[in-house]
Amino acid sequence: MKKVNLAVVGATGMVGRTFLKVLEERQLPIENFYVMASSRSAGSTLTFNGKEYVVEELTEHSFDKPIDIALFSAGGSTSEKFAPIAAAHGCIVIDNSSQWRMDPEVPLVVPEVNPEDIAWHKNIIANPNCSTIQAMVALKPLDDKYKIKRVVYSTYQAVSGAGLAGWKDLENGLKGEAPKKFPHPIANNCLPHIDVFLDNGYTKEEMKMVNETRKILHNDNMRVTATTVRVPVFDSHSESINIEFEKPFDLDELIETLRNAPGVVLQNNSQENEYPLAINAAGHDEVFIGRIRRDESVESGVNLWVVADNIRKGAATNAVQIAEEIIKNMQ
Ligand SMILES: NC(=O)c1ccc[n+]([C@@H]2O[C@H](COP(=O)([O-])OP(=O)(O)OC[C@H]3O[C@@H](n4cnc5c(N)ncnc54)[C@H](OP(=O)(O)O)[C@@H]3O)[C@@H](O)[C@H]2O)c1
């Protein structure tokens, strides 16, 4: 496999540090490796594959050197400014922020779901929102078979989804300290508020789920609604997903379809109290699905409980899988 020069931008953050772990685990063929962040952490060091790397400050000149792939996780405004600079230098950017996701010129990719979209990139590829990624892995095989008509998402999202600051709010909140990141205490609480509120009364996180689902499944008319909730859990997002189909289905066959779907682990044995749990999904790359049951209130519908590590499959692992696809096609 061809060796590439690879940079991680935002390497000191929650997602960035996980990038380093996942890149090590999956042994990507890397020639030269660069870690970048803001001036705040420039000069500090990070260990990768047993070697120390000095964090460089991200500047307009960071991509003057030959870099084949850059994994960005440094926020929307950083991506807005620096992804086009990297792309203009011939570097393929895989971006974790929401900046480019709905740009019609930018593919939005979950490798198990729409790897074919990678082909039309113009040097920027967007990684979907964490809560969207895990839902897509569950929805795609069912859409292929039974054609989805409508989806209702209700999420239970971990504080790590709000970066290091979100994590600290829960850690400190459990000791009685006031929140700094969230508008209300997250300890012993549930906040029906992720990202900013929009004019239609939804939060931006909710509309990300709606719009990204349609883009990834290539169906602008799919009816989708969402309520996204921050819960006092450190790692892994849990989601209740209610799906209505165009076609009828056999429940056993639907369960087998999910069991055989790429990236899925089925935990669907309620009799034994076996169902996906945030604490068990944490640290893993798969999407865990259970509580599969017919929605008896509609003609053809099903309910799922879907859990995944939001920093791994919801961010770093998904982006690294995209990088693997790109490297495969570089031969
Ligand atoms: N957490 C999640 O579940 C998740 C999931 C999917 C996508 N994302 C996205 O990934 C991005 C990072 O999230 P996170 O949770 O890792 O946040 P985080 O823990 O707060 O880390 C932010 C990172 O961005 C760097 N950064 C900030 N401003 C910068 C600038 N002007 N130039 C260069 N680097 C800069 C920081 O560097 P310093 O150390 O120098 O401050 C740090 O490395 C966000 O866009 C987020 O929306 C997060």
Side-chain angles (χ1 to χ4, degrees):
M1 204 182 265
K2 185 183 184 305
K3 282 196 165 186
V4 294
N5 296 338
L6 191 140
V8 176
V9 177
T12 51
M14 198 107 208
V15 176
R17 287 169 190 273
T18 310
F19 269 137
L20 268 58
K21 254 191 252 168
V22 175
L23 287 166
E24 275 181 350
E25 288 168 9
R26 299 177 77 101
Q27 299 189 329
L28 262 75
I30 296 172
E31 182 84 55
N32 294 304
F33 186 64
Y34 305 97
V35 283
M36 302 177 190
S38 78
S39 56
R40 285 181 295 274
S41 44
S44 62
T45 57
L46 291 170
T47 306
F48 177 66
N49 276 338
K51 203 176 144 194
E52 287 217 325
Y53 288 84
V54 178
V55 176
E56 298 175 26
E57 181 183 352
L58 176 69
T59 71
E60 280 90 343
H61 297 293
S62 295
F63 299 92
D64 292 352
K65 49 187 172 284
I67 298 178
D68 301 295
I69 298 175
L71 304 174
F72 270 60
S73 66
S77 54
T78 307
S79 290
E80 183 181 17
K81 179 169 176 194
F82 291 97
I85 295 175
H89 282 76
C91 171
I92 301 173
V93 172
I94 303 170
D95 183 40
N96 259 279
S97 79
S98 57
Q99 178 62 33
W100 304 100
R101 289 183 192 148
M102 295 314 296
D103 187 319
E105 301 279 291
V106 174
L108 183 65
V109 176
V110 180
E112 294 90 340
V113 175
N114 60 334
E116 70 282 3
D117 284 335
I118 293 174
W120 54 268
H121 77 78
K122 295 176 180 159
N123 285 359
I124 302 179
I125 298 170
N127 211 41
N129 185 42
C130 41
S131 44
T132 311
I133 291 176
Q134 66 188 71
M136 291 304 95
V137 172
L139 257 52
K140 168 69 175 167
L142 302 182
D143 189 42
D144 284 347
K145 212 154 184 166
Y146 310 116
K147 185 99 175 96
I148 294 174
K149 199 199 281 188
R150 180 169 186 256
V151 182
V152 182
Y153 293 123
S154 307
T155 72
Y156 305 72
Q157 296 183 219
V159 291
S160 55
L164 289 169
W167 180 284
K168 286 206 173 115
D169 256 21
L170 177 54
E171 198 172 57
N172 296 334
L174 290 169
K175 295 182 223 151
E177 288 178 29
K180 290 192 177 133
K181 171 77 178 171
F182 301 121
H184 303 284
I186 186 64
N188 297 315
N189 215 357
C190 297
L191 308 180
H193 176 183
I194 300 183
D195 211 329
V196 295
F197 281 102
L198 304 172
D199 289 345
N200 66 356
Y202 282 74
T203 61
K204 199 169 165 196
E205 183 83 354
E206 288 160 352
M207 292 314 296
K208 282 179 208 165
M209 289 196 81
V210 171
N211 295 325
E212 293 177 21
T213 295
R214 291 178 178 148
K215 180 166 176 177
I216 295 165
L217 295 179
H218 304 140
N219 182 352
D220 290 343
N221 300 318
M222 189 178 283
R223 289 193 277 152
V224 187
T225 189
T227 301
T228 58
V229 181
R230 188 76 69 196
V231 296
V233 166
F234 284 106
D235 281 314
S236 299
H237 292 347
S238 304
E239 299 179 351
S240 155
I241 308 183
N242 175 263
I243 312 163
E244 208 180 329
F245 300 113
E246 303 270 2
K247 299 181 190 168
F249 68 92
D250 173 79
L251 187 61
D252 290 337
E253 187 196 70
L254 181 149
I255 291 169
E256 283 315 298
T257 301
L258 286 174
R259 192 192 305 282
N260 296 323
V264 168
V265 173
L266 217 64
Q267 293 180 328
N268 190 45
N269 189 358
S270 304
Q271 300 302 319
E272 301 291 332
N273 295 342
E274 190 207 354
Y275 33 75
L277 293 174
I279 53 172
N280 293 340
H284 294 274
D285 289 325
E286 298 86 358
V287 174
F288 298 84
I289 305 179
R291 296 292 324 277
I292 305 172
R293 63 214 188 275
R294 192 174 281 280
D295 174 356
E296 292 171 344
S297 70
V298 293
E299 213 170 295
S300 181
V302 74
N303 286 303
L304 311 176
W305 181 247
V306 178
V307 181
D309 185 321
N310 54 300
I311 307 289
R312 280 186 164 257
K313 184 56 188 162
T317 302
N318 196 74
V320 171
Q321 287 173 307
I322 296 173
E324 287 171 340
E325 291 287 324
I326 292 167
I327 296 169
K328 246 193 271 165
N329 293 326
M330 276 177 172
Q331 305 315 311

